[in-house]
Amino acid sequence: ARVAKLLESLELPSRIPADRTAREILDAARLDKKSRTGRLRMTLLADAGKPVVRDGIAPFLYAEALRACGAR
C-alpha cells in the first residue's frame, strides 16, 4: 500500500489499466530497452530489497503474470 501511494503521489501508474491486454503489454515489452534481441527480461524480487534480473522469460509466463496483475 505504501508503494502504491508513493507511485500515485508521483503521478506514476500503480496498476495495469483495465483496457490493456496481456498481448499488448507483451508486444510493447519486446520493443523495450530491457529486451535483448527479442528476449524478455524481468527484474524480480528474490526477497525484500533483493532484486534479481532474469533473462529469456517465456512469453506465456510473462502473459500469465500480467493477467494475475489485472491485464485482460
Side-chain angles (χ1 to χ4, degrees):
R2 284 180 28 195
V3 173
K5 286 181 183 179
L6 174 63
L7 291 172
E8 289 167 7
S9 75
L10 297 170
E11 298 183 16
L12 296 170
S14 62
R15 293 198 163 95
I16 295 174
D19 64 338
R20 295 286 182 233
T21 66
R23 169 63 56 200
E24 290 171 327
I25 298 168
L26 187 58
D27 289 345
R30 285 189 173 114
L31 300 174
D32 189 78
K33 66 182 178 190
K34 291 177 290 299
S35 175
R36 290 201 176 160
T37 63
R39 293 171 49 124
L40 297 168
R41 297 176 77 201
M42 293 180 82
T43 301
L44 307 168
L45 290 177
D47 203 350
K50 295 185 180 183
V52 294
V53 176
R54 294 292 181 243
D55 189 19
I57 304 294
F60 80 92
L61 290 175
Y62 198 99
E64 188 175 311
L66 291 168
R67 285 189 199 96
C69 293
R72 294 187 292 123

